[in-house]
Each structure stands twice: as structure tokens, then as C-alpha cells.
Amino acid sequence: MKHFLFICFLFLSVAISAQVPGHYTYQHGWDYPVKEGHLTVHETGTMDFDANGTACDSACQTYHLDRPDGSSVTWVFNYVSPSHWRVEQEHFYFAGEKSTFRMELCSFEGTTDSVWARSYAEGLITPVRQHIDRETRFHLDRSDAEQLVWSLTYPNGHTDHWYFFCYREHDLPITNFGARGDGVTLNTTCIQAAIDSAHHIFMLRNQKARVVVPQGTFVSGTLYLKSGVTLHLEKGATLLGSTNPFDYIKDPTVRWTSFIFAIRQHDIAITGNGTIDGRGWEVANNMVNYIHLGLVDDPLKYDRPNEGNRPENIHFRECEQVVVSGITLRNPASWNQQYDQCRYVLIENQTVDSKNYWNNDGVDIVDCQHVVIRNCHMDAADDVFCFKSHSVDGLSEDILVENCTGRSSANGIKFGTMTRGLFRHFRFRNITLYDTYRSAITVASVDGGALQDIVIDGLKATNTGNPIFLRFAERRQGSVTPCLKDIVIRNVYVEVPAHKPDAGYSYEGPVEDQPRNTSPSSIVGTPDHRIQNITLENIEIHYPGGSDSSYAFCGSDPQSLALIAERTTQYPEFSMFKELPAWGLYIRHADNIHLKNVHMLVANHDYRPCIVADDVKGLTLVDSRPATPQLLIANGCSSIKAPGYHVVKQKAITLTNVDSHQGELSNPDTLGIHYKASLFGIKNNGTTLNTNSIQRAVDYIAQQGGGCLEFYVGRYLTGTVRVPRGVHILLHEGAILVPSSNPYDHSAGIPSSPLLFEDSTEHPFGLGFIEELR
């Protein structure tokens, strides 16, 4: 019992050198048998020492009990109030009152028997409170500017040591905790001890602390970053991942494996000019060996371990006030850096080399809010800037990406694939992409999510396999009303090569995924999930053309278009439909698509038309000045305005919701600019005489070089109007021109129509009609 009381007293043992006033962290650990099993104790804390020899201590203690049946229980205690100590010459001792010392149980895990757990915890700390002895003195064994070592010798002759490390302005070098930067020594425990000590400073004093990784190469397994702690990597410093898969933890909360975790923490950061290198190729291939040996349970799908079993470099979950700045991230075994359900995240000035193994993304933002990514360069074997939602209740909003460059063997900007929650208020500015195997921009919602209010403004992509891919389908249902709408993409320049654009990657994109002919940009919904309100503005895309219809043919007639499968449950990639019938843009199952100043240029003749619109309600192309005649195939569409394009109508298409009484209008670019009658004060109430208003309208349109005057639903009373050449009258369904019954409102010798066209080949057209003049 006496020996046990001495051990209990050690829980409070802290020390300070009277010769070195300042701030110290300390650590100590030991283990011993108890009747319930084997107890391991680890203590970390901080000590402030003044010039008078008085020290104030704060600490955290962890007790871990291993039971004979293989189960375990862990308790965590904190000092609720500081305990006071006194240094005299080479000894120190407890100088406070017992009543001032209090420890509080923070948490326990490993058992559901809370009554037993709390009772056992009280039994652990009660002897400590009762047996604080001022006469028990600790001896100073070592003292220098950086480290103190105090010891206590038991009556049986056994001596334990406590290590104290000096820090200035809350900087804690990991070398003070025993870490070695030799590129060989495994430093996981030492670095974690430094992080824990810095966390205690924050929790007990509300002061942030930095754990400093100095120049050198420090090997480690999984580390947990904690609240109030900045992990700072100095120039020339490298945190090097262990190549042993068993040195990494698959966290039970998130079910992922990572080099650096932070779970439900706040005010955390990773900064500096150093490097985090996961050595992903080595650790993943070692894991493959262990899987074959039966030491690791993994399905080994596609001949690679599951993503969650391979360590990421960084995985932060449910954290707030996060900064990851300045560092270089290299060679993860899985995703590179994942931020899941985090808020107020700043990622800046990063250099990412993430092409060491499969699924090496640049950055993954999952159900996060208030995120800024800026001034980063990311080279990734998978998607560069990737945004996901893993939860039907997930919310991703207020995300800004600006002034970044990326290279990818997959997609540049990627929404998806997992998209279960709500995405809104995304902004991208000044993005440069190159050598991108798949799409420069992919916005895909296929898992029941809602994506809206996304603006991409300023993007240059060279040597990319596909410019823009928007896809809306439903592989699974979510809790929100699914949608893909209100997306603006503007100020974009893209060059698509004729060759495979990602040659040279360690893990190139699979050739078998690609169609034989270059794919166009595409906006593709499904009959039940239509894409809505898309604006493409100030866009220039250069395609190689040269498609060979004898090698791989996809027709644009109604029968051929019907053969393009919907593929509603397939993984969304621009190549998912294989051959597509357009070389520039393919649109299907979409509403309100607006193209303004969009130039699509083709280097070599392509057998396909420029644009194919299939089941599109509302397609407007404005200010397009094609370098070559461009053909738009419209199949089963309505409300198409495309001056400058030769439009081929199919499947009873109606242009601007009308069909000509005299037959189909096959070349609507002759219509020019369209004007609504209401803009000129023309009334549709059936009683107001509109002769003068309509005459002014058609005269104005003629002065502007011609165009089309549109009448919508209503009754328009008018006398005779003379229509100049180049002016067209379009009567929408439900629009009726009503001739005035007053003969003085009409010209002499008028025919049955109140409209007199100067060009006898012109005529009113549409689904409306003109009442007979009586």
C-alpha cells in the first residue's frame, strides 16, 4: 500500500529549475498491476515558474486499464485548479494546501457501466488527494536551458524520472519530447506528447501553442491534432509517414485512416514551409501484401485496398477555425486532405504533389461551410478541387476558390460524385488547369442532392480532355428536393487536344473509358431530373475535330438520339455516354439554357453538328459569331433562339413556341433580334386600338436592320399596318390580331389581313391567328 501511495503521489509530480524561470511542459508515464488487470498512466502538463522559486502546475492525466478478458477502459482527468510547488536548491516539493488541489473526471470510454467507471475513477485519485506530503522531495538530476530531469527514488530502490521541456512564447519543439529527425526512428509517441502538451496549454490557460517540427526528417504514424494547437513545420522539416500500415489508426468515429487526424476540435492549424509526405505508394503496397497474408481484412477491389483503409495525409472532421497554410503535401495513400463537416476553413499557399497512388485527390471538401481555398498549386492523380456530401442532412455553402492552379489525371473542378445534401453559394475565380484527363469543370448531382447558385468566373484550361460536364440524375434518394440549377460559367478559355492529355502520370486515366471521338461539353439531365437555369457567357473552346464517322458513328437524327441511353444509375463522367452526336455541345433534358458570346471552334472537319439539343425547353444563343457555319440539331425542343446558327428542326420542334402557318421555318437566323410587342405599348385587351403603336414598332425594327415582333396571348385590336422588309410578325399560340371594325382605320383596297408586307414573300407565322376583317 505504501508503494501504491508513492505512485499515486507521482501523478502530481512536476518540477522547475530556479535557475531557469519561464514556461515548461512535462510528461511522465508508468504502469503497474492492479487486481482488475494492468494499469497504465500517462501525464502531461505545463508549469509556469517565477523568479521567486514558486511554480504553478496544470496537467492532464490518462489512466488505461487492460483487463484479463481483453477489454479495456480509459479515463481522462484534468486539474480543475492549479497546484502550487516550491523549488529550493536542487529539490522541489508541494507548497500548496490540499484543499486547493482538485482533479475532475473529464471522460471515460470502453465501458457502459458508468456507475462502476466513476467509482473506480474516484478510487484512483482519492489517495492522491490524501497523501500529498511536503516532506517528500524530488531531486534535480539534470538542468540546462532546454530540459530538466527530476527523479524520485522509492524505498525499494526503484527510481522514476520526469522530463520537463522549456518553451518560449508557447513554442514546443518536438525534439524536446524525444523526437529524432533521422528519417528512421518512429516518433509517433513523442510528437503526440508535444501536441497533447500544447493542447493542455490552450485548455487550461486559453492560450494557443505551436508544436514545432524543426529541420530534419521525422517518421511517424497517426497523429491527432487538438484544439488550440498549431503544428508548425519549419523550412527543411519533413513529417514522413511510416511505411508500416499498422502504424496508422482507422478512426472508429470517421471510419477512415489518416496520417493526421483532428476530430471535433477547434482553433487548429498546420503551417510553415515544411513537408508532409505520406509515402503512400510504399504503405499501400505493404498493405496489399498484408491483405494477401490474411493480416488485413479488405476486399481488394480493383487490386487496391479500400480508400478508407489507406492513410490520407490529413482528415479533419467537425472542426472549426481551421488553417492549413504554406505547407507541401505529398504522396498520400488515399485522398490527400479531407475536411468533413468543418466550418471556417482557410487553405492557402499550399503545394500539393498527390499522384503517388490511386484516388489521390488534391483537396476534398465534404459538407463544410465558410471555406476559402486560395493561392494553391495542386498536382493530383485524381480530382483536384473536389466537393462532396456524404449525408442527406449535409450542407455545403459559402465556398470560395481563387487564384489556384491544378493538374489532374481526372477532373479539375469536381462536384461529386457523392452528392447527398445541399450545395449552395460557391464561387470560383481565376483558376488555371492543365494536363487534365477528364473535365475541366464537372458539376454532377446523382445522389439526391441539391446543387444551386454556383458561379465559375475566370478559368483557363489547356490540354484538357473535356471542357464542361453538367450531369443531373438520381442513383439514390436524398432528404432534400434534388436539383441542379442556377449555375453561371463565364470568362472561360479551353483547349481540347486530339491526343490523351494526361500522358506521364504514374496512374493515367484508363484509355478504355474514353469514347473514340472527342466528346463535346455536355449538359445532361434525365426526363425526371431536368437541369435548369444554366448560363454560359464569354467562353471560347477550341476542339480538334476530325471525328471519323466510319470509325465511330453517332447520328443526330431522332432515331439515333433515342438510342443514347439515359444511364441514370451510372457513375457520372463526361465519357459515360461514349460517342455523342455533337462536336461542340450536347444538351439533353434541360430548361432555360443561355449561351452568350460562346465561341466553339473546330480545327478539323467533323462529321457531327456543332450543337445537339434534345428535349430542351428554352435555349438562347446570343452574340455568337461562329468562325465557320455552325449547325444546331434541335430534337423535341421549344423556345429556341439562335441567330447565327443554322437550325435543323426535328420531331415537330417549335421555334419560340410557334410553327409557321405556311410551313416550317428552316432558317430562323433570318429573323434577327426578337422584340416583344408589349415593349412598344401595344395592348392585348381587345379594346385599345394599336395601329399607331404597331406601326411605330415595325418601323423601329426596320431601322435597326430587321428583326421579329412577337405577340403573346391576348387580343390585339388594330387597323392597317405596313410592315417593312426584314420585319417578321410572330403570333404565339393564343395571340389574335383583331382588325378594327371602323373602315377609316384601314387603307383603301385592303385585303383580308390588317398587315401589309412590302415583301410579298413574307407573312405572319405562328400558332396564333388573325380574325377576318368584316
Side-chain angles (χ1 to χ4, degrees), residues 46-269:
T46 61
M47 173 69 74
D48 286 330
F49 171 72
D50 61 27
N52 296 321
T54 301
C56 182
D57 175 36
S58 299
C60 174
Q61 298 164 5
T62 301
Y63 299 73
H64 183 83
L65 176 65
D66 289 315
R67 292 167 158 174
D69 62 2
S71 64
S72 63
V73 186
T74 301
W75 296 264
V76 178
F77 295 88
N78 269 346
Y79 286 7
V80 178
S81 59
S83 57
H84 299 278
W85 301 80
R86 179 74 181 170
V87 175
E88 291 181 356
Q89 297 180 350
E90 294 185 352
H91 297 88
F92 83 99
Y93 59 91
F94 179 72
E97 299 295 331
K98 290 184 180 181
S99 60
T100 67
F101 170 72
R102 290 192 301 124
M103 293 175 61
E104 183 178 80
L105 177 64
C106 292
S107 64
F108 63 88
E109 59 182 22
T111 178
T112 58
D113 190 345
S114 60
V115 175
W116 172 84
R118 294 183 182 280
S119 175
Y120 195 85
E122 183 65 25
L124 290 173
I125 64 174
T126 296
V128 179
R129 296 194 190 103
Q130 294 176 346
H131 296 279
I132 296 177
D133 189 347
R134 293 178 182 235
E135 299 304 317
T136 301
R137 303 278 174 126
F138 297 83
H139 182 266
L140 179 64
D141 291 338
R142 175 183 171 186
S143 175
D144 56 41
E146 299 296 332
Q147 187 178 37
L148 307 173
V149 180
W150 294 87
S151 66
L152 178 66
T153 302
Y154 298 113
N156 64 4
H158 173 71
T159 301
D160 278 340
H161 296 87
W162 297 264
Y163 298 90
F164 301 82
F165 306 98
C166 184
Y167 63 91
R168 300 287 186 265
E169 298 179 357
H170 305 302
D171 274 6
L172 284 63
I174 62 173
T175 49
N176 284 0
F177 292 78
R180 297 182 181 180
D182 56 14
V184 177
T185 303
L186 186 66
N187 296 288
T188 311
T189 302
C190 300
I191 300 173
Q192 189 62 57
I195 293 172
D196 292 345
S197 295
H199 173 64
H200 299 328
I201 293 172
F202 177 73
M203 295 301 293
L204 299 173
R205 304 179 190 171
N206 197 30
Q207 295 174 333
K208 296 180 183 179
R210 296 198 315 174
V211 172
V212 179
V213 182
Q215 183 176 352
T217 301
F218 298 85
V219 179
S220 178
T222 294
L223 301 169
Y224 279 82
L225 194 59
K226 298 183 178 180
S227 295
V229 179
T230 294
L231 181 61
H232 183 77
L233 286 75
E234 294 185 340
K235 185 176 182 179
T238 297
L239 275 180
L240 189 64
S242 168
T243 60
N244 184 351
F246 296 116
D247 288 333
Y248 298 94
I249 297 172
K250 185 172 185 179
D251 186 88
T253 299
V254 302
R255 295 190 295 248
W256 282 80
T257 308
S258 185
F259 192 176
I260 300 176
F261 275 119
I263 300 175
R264 302 189 183 104
Q265 304 299 309
H266 60 90
D267 296 284
I268 57 176

Side-chain angles (χ1 to χ4, degrees), residues 676-684 688-701 709 711 716-722 729 755:
K676 293 181 180 180
S678 59
L679 294 176
F680 299 90
I682 300 170
K683 305 298 183 182
N684 63 351
T688 302
L689 186 64
N690 293 295
T691 310
N692 292 335
S693 297
I694 297 175
Q695 190 66 61
R696 282 195 302 269
V698 297
D699 290 341
Y700 174 83
I701 294 171
L709 181 62
F711 292 80
Y716 298 84
L717 181 65
T718 183
T720 297
V721 175
R722 296 183 180 274
I729 301 297
L755 301 176

Side-chain angles (χ1 to χ4, degrees), residues 283-302:
V283 70
N285 280 283
N286 286 340
M287 178 171 284
V288 170
N289 293 335
Y290 292 147
I291 293 170
H292 286 307
L293 291 171
L295 301 176
V296 175
D297 184 17
D298 189 286
L300 209 60
K301 188 177 181 181
Y302 303 123

